[in-house]
Amino acid sequence: MMEKKHKKSQHSLVREIKDNLRASPDLGIKRCMQCGLCTSNCPAARHSDYDPREMVKKVLDNNLEVLDNPDIWNCFYCYTCASNCPVNNSPSLINQILREKILNTGGNVSRVAEFIEFGYNYVEKGVGTIPSTFFQDLVDDFGEDYPKLKHDLPDIRRKLGLKEYNLKGEAAAEVKNILKASGFTQRLEKLKKIA
Amino acid sequence: MIIMTNNSPQVEYIPPVYKEKRLRHSKNPDKIGVFLCRCGDNISNIIDMEKLKSSIKADFVAEFENLCSINCRRHIREEIIEHDLDRVAIVACSPLTHLKTFQNYADPLNPHMVEMINLREQCSWVHTDQEKATKKAIEVTRAGIEKLKNAQALDKIIRQTEKSAAIFGGGISGITAALSLANQGIKSCIIEKKPTIGGNMVKIGKVFSPEKLAEECALCILNPIINEVINHKNIHIMTRTNLLRAGRKATHFKLILEKDTGLVHEERCIACGKCAEVCPVEVPDEWNQKMTTRKAIYKTFPQAVPDVYTIDRENCIECGMCAEACKMGAIDFKLKPEVIPFQAGNIIIATGHENYDLNKRPEYGYHRFDDVISQMDLSRILGVNGPTQGELLRISDGKVPDKVVMIQCTGSRDEKADGKRYCSKVCCMIALKHASIIREHYPDTEVVICYTDLRTVGMYENYLRYVQDKGLKLIRGRPGEVSKKDGKLVVRVEDTLEGKPLDIETDMVVLSEAIEPSAGTMRIARKLNVGMNQDLFIKEKHAKIKPVNTDMGRIFVCGTAQGPKDITDSVAQANAAAAKVSEEIESGTEAEPPVAVIETSKCDLCGKCRNICGFKAVYKDEENMAVDPMACRGCGACAGQCPQEAIEIKGINDQELYAQIKALLSDKEEGEIRILAFLDNVGYTAADTIGYNRINYPEAIRIIRIPSINRIMSHHLMYAFNQGADGILMAEYPDECMLEAHKAKIKELTEKIAAEGIPNDRLRFYKAYAPHYRGLNKQFHRFYEDIRAEAKI
């Protein structure tokens, strides 16, 4: 039986997103009907000029201006859009891929600078822990309960019979090796340098 | 031949009388006549007719200028009679165009005693080398004659469908279909699971009329039709009745129905309502979308048909007060459901739809907020016989809302879990209808419709303009959430045309709920073994040309059981289904071979034949497996599956196939290439079209017409390879309902041929499409060139 050959579209933002490792094969980006359900539910859209529907529109139009729009950095990956989208699209995921593209070309690295420590924690301890620079924000948000929890956590864990959560020894070394081999560590270094 | 007399509507079937067959292997073998056609010079300009003629060994050979002309009809008949011919070969053009003509010309002979040999479309029109074409013509003719010698005389299969129909579902579709059939004199039975007929239409209050640009009273339109149904002598109505089991026979269905009595003797009840007055049990009333209550003994609505009270067993506490109040002695707590055997020639599925469960979209708060309602709820509120007597009032406080926001596509056009991927088709019009009524009667109430696309197709666009003129706000955006803030409902939506997120404060939210297949539709499809589509509506046999047939013979579908549609379309489809039943009864009496026949004594009831048959022609008839000849296409998939070799395909037997294969390869010379092409009807049509377009392909291609590749077994192919075939091409149209069988067949043949040591590129499969004859031609060339290239190495 002859195989039907599908013609592949030319290079475009949509193609780039569909081909990205993060995107599932049934990502409904091309089926977007611009209904705006994502924007109506988007907390970032409520508090800023970010408009996920418009972002998707620009991607579909292959309008590279979308990369220069500072509003796309206001998404904080709550995935409400992804879980509501009637055509199985995920503006949140598209956003991630766009940011990755921007970062790869060296742009907007300052946006992720404060997360770099998160990556290093991962390399060193094998778990991602909240960067220390966020401490004050959390205290502002949660009040005195936060430092108290931080302080009491080892005791609480002991009482609950939970073990140390930082990886140690062989396991930690293994994670470190994987991160190195996969280019994660190198990427971290690169971002740190530019930042 | 069907003879109809004026004074009787009865159809009498008289089978045709053919010339008596000679006994096979008798001393006098069948006499064969061969008629050659020059087709003007379409055939004779390439093929040396003298050479061809002298090569033919037969009892009679003659050559004509135009064999299909009406003059030749006389010639053919005369020669048959004069020479006492038993079998006739017509060496002319394609059987697709003229087989019926020549079967008719050879009238005293059984149609299967006529074989057409296609020298025009598949020889003279596609080859230019006279010598090679003549050689091929001689061989193709010989193959045809060999096939003819092995042909079996078959009689048409006659069946008379019983003149009756069972219609499942008593909504507008079922009622319409029943009435149409009954008016044609066909006994129809409406089987409805609910206590009353009328379906969804009795609930909706008003219907939109794009013609008059107005809303009309649904019940006023429906009531006269229902009355006609009740009084019709050819219609029987069974309410509270379910299908338990269904069996299929050659001419009818045997159904086992269960009729629940509702604990009331229908014939005694006079619907005085005294029982309901005394009944102490109050439950939410589904008729009013649970916005009001009814008693445990009730009548759905005042105009309900049949006009009797019925007990809702789930809620009845059997206190006996109703029985005491009933002067007619109609109530009987000992009444048991009745099991009724029922027989019908045809079935129409009109089981309708249900409304989407809005709890599956909790973000819109249907159950959290009183004033978030569905369009069906709004229908009841706006209905003069509804909970508010037609006043637009909020459920929470009984006040007229200042603003109503409607949310379209609730559950429709939604790929998410629990969503319906399709468009429910009617909701745009329903929303506009309600907007129109509200704006008409409550000019101070603002109506906002949040939509993704407004689908007011065809003439309905006029209705949209009419409602827009009444004042309507349209917001293009799909709301994400309905919440409550300071006592007001808030609809959160992006106005996508403005690119701005909005929080719309409102007093009432109406959700345009999706239409989904009813539980009854799915249940009946399983019981009757009728195919459903992926959204679980009944699947029509062909979306374009067979919209009311199901994949089962004599079972038809109409209305929303088949997919979302409005009343207009449901009625049109119901009438079409009735017409199809009528057609089945009046003329669905003949089937032509090839068909599969099961030899019951060999059959061990394994059921493999039934599983493979995409036409659902195989069924179990009480204790035996049987084939419905009307549904069977003779493709042979079942024969290939049968471990007992109990199935024969009448109309193209093994001897015919072997004879053709052998003859097509018999004069192959050293160094010559031969490719056999087994083509189904579509493939054969494509090959003919190559001829019409006078496109050349190598003479090495020799075509055998088959009903389907499923007919071909590995032993046929091995026989061909052993006789000298260099390659075999099998081309077939990928018929949807047989795709699985095709795949299995291709796999089976490929594996078996490989096991015999034949290189795998010598057996090729191709998906044939009638208009894509160039594709088939390319296959012919490529196959030939590949083999030639290989031979050179």
Side-chain angles (χ1 to χ4, degrees), chain A residues 1-2 31 33-37 39-41 45-46 51 53 82-88, chain B residues 413-416 452 476-481 492-494 496 499 503 746 765 767 779 782:
Chain A
M1 213 40 74
M2 291 219 308
R31 300 195 292 274
M33 47 188 162
Q34 293 286 303
C35 70
L37 181 73
T39 305
S40 76
N41 270 336
R46 279 186 85 67
D51 186 337
R53 178 194 55 77
S83 59
N84 284 326
C85 175
V87 294
N88 242 352
Chain B
R413 304 179 72 196
D414 189 348
E415 289 181 32
K416 278 284 173 289
T452 308
R476 203 233 168 240
R478 190 157 170 156
E481 194 185 14
R492 188 174 288 171
V493 63
E494 183 193 13
T496 59
D503 280 349
I746 290 170
F765 298 92
K767 286 181 189 168
Q779 288 293 312
R782 194 180 294 160

Side-chain angles (χ1 to χ4, degrees), chain B residues 431-446:
Chain B
L432 288 174
K433 171 183 77 182
H434 287 157
S436 176
I437 296 169
I438 294 172
R439 293 293 298 158
E440 182 86 32
H441 298 286
Y442 302 89
D444 296 330
T445 300
E446 191 186 351

Side-chain angles (χ1 to χ4, degrees), chain B residues 44 108 233 254 605:
Chain B
S44 54
K233 67 175 176 18
K254 282 198 152 175
L605 301 172

Side-chain angles (χ1 to χ4, degrees), chain B residues 85-155:
Chain B
L85 302 175
D86 299 286
R87 292 164 191 250
V88 164
I90 307 291
V91 184
C93 53
S94 172
L96 297 182
T97 37
H98 274 320
L99 182 62
K100 283 265 185 278
T101 315
F102 289 111
Q103 284 177 338
N104 180 19
Y105 285 9
D107 195 5
L109 300 185
N110 181 292
H112 296 272
M113 296 292 100
V114 179
E115 172 68 18
M116 274 196 86
I117 293 149
N118 187 350
L119 285 197
R120 192 179 68 173
E121 282 86 343
Q122 295 180 6
C123 194
S124 69
W125 276 355
V126 289
H127 304 312
T128 45
D129 184 319
Q130 295 200 353
E131 200 180 318
K132 284 184 183 169
T134 304
K135 186 171 187 277
K136 177 173 172 178
I138 290 170
E139 204 178 273
V140 170
T141 306
R142 187 182 305 139
I145 294 169
E146 287 305 311
K147 182 188 175 199
L148 178 64
K149 283 183 187 165
N150 287 286
Q152 287 170 295
L154 297 169
D155 288 328

Side-chain angles (χ1 to χ4, degrees), chain A residues 116-130 164-180 184-185 188:
Chain A
I116 289 175
E117 193 189 327
F118 186 89
Y120 277 109
N121 286 343
Y122 196 22
V123 174
E124 293 308 321
K125 299 172 185 165
V127 278
T129 50
I130 299 168
E164 175 74 35
Y165 62 87
N166 290 335
L167 294 184
K168 285 212 171 102
E170 210 179 317
E174 206 170 324
V175 170
K176 203 168 185 170
N177 283 337
I178 291 170
L179 293 175
K180 196 169 178 188
F184 182 88
T185 318
L188 217 49

Side-chain angles (χ1 to χ4, degrees), chain A:
Chain A
M1 213 40 74
M2 291 219 308
E3 283 299 316
K4 215 174 184 178
K5 285 185 192 105
H6 286 284
K7 286 180 186 148
K8 286 232 171 182
S9 70
Q10 307 220 309
H11 181 78
S12 67
L13 273 177
V14 174
R15 185 77 259 149
E16 217 173 300
I17 283 160
K18 290 287 272 183
D19 287 345
N20 192 292
L21 206 57
R22 294 165 193 259
S24 71
D26 64 342
L27 181 74
I29 178 164
K30 290 185 193 167
R31 300 195 292 274
C32 172
M33 47 188 162
Q34 293 286 303
C35 70
L37 181 73
C38 47
T39 305
S40 76
N41 270 336
C42 175
R46 279 186 85 67
H47 298 288
S48 77
D49 287 337
Y50 175 54
D51 186 337
R53 178 194 55 77
E54 202 177 277
M55 176 192 69
V56 175
K57 175 89 170 78
K58 284 188 174 146
V59 169
L60 287 168
D61 291 347
N62 204 30
N63 183 347
L64 295 175
E65 276 172 25
V66 69
L67 300 170
D68 302 328
N69 185 348
D71 294 326
I72 69 166
W73 294 90
N74 294 333
C75 166
F76 48 88
Y77 304 163
C78 70
Y79 289 97
T80 306
C81 53
S83 59
N84 284 326
C85 175
V87 294
N88 242 352
N89 191 17
S90 172
S92 167
L93 184 101
I94 292 169
N95 187 300
Q96 287 172 33
I97 296 168
L98 291 179
R99 287 189 195 180
E100 188 182 290
K101 184 176 164 69
I102 297 165
L103 290 171
N104 281 341
T105 53
N108 275 290
V109 177
S110 60
R111 300 268 188 185
V112 290
E114 51 187 351
F115 295 97
I116 289 175
E117 193 189 327
F118 186 89
Y120 277 109
N121 286 343
Y122 196 22
V123 174
E124 293 308 321
K125 299 172 185 165
V127 278
T129 50
I130 299 168
S132 53
T133 44
F134 286 19
F135 186 77
Q136 195 51 50
D137 284 348
L138 287 160
V139 173
D140 291 347
D141 283 352
F142 295 104
E144 283 308 306
D145 286 344
Y146 184 70
K148 194 168 181 302
L149 173 76
K150 229 18 202 161
H151 181 263
D152 295 345
L153 196 59
D155 281 348
I156 296 170
R157 290 185 64 88
R158 228 185 345 267
K159 267 183 207 161
L160 291 171
L162 297 170
K163 288 178 187 159
E164 175 74 35
Y165 62 87
N166 290 335
L167 294 184
K168 285 212 171 102
E170 210 179 317
E174 206 170 324
V175 170
K176 203 168 185 170
N177 283 337
I178 291 170
L179 293 175
K180 196 169 178 188
S182 62
F184 182 88
T185 318
Q186 205 185 347
R187 188 173 157 80
L188 217 49
E189 292 293 334
K190 189 178 151 197
L191 288 175
K192 195 181 174 188
K193 216 173 276 171
I194 311 170

Side-chain angles (χ1 to χ4, degrees), chain B residues 330-345:
Chain B
I331 298 162
D332 181 353
F333 290 99
K334 289 193 198 76
L335 270 183
K336 291 266 180 301
E338 195 183 343
V339 173
I340 306 163
F342 189 81
Q343 193 166 311

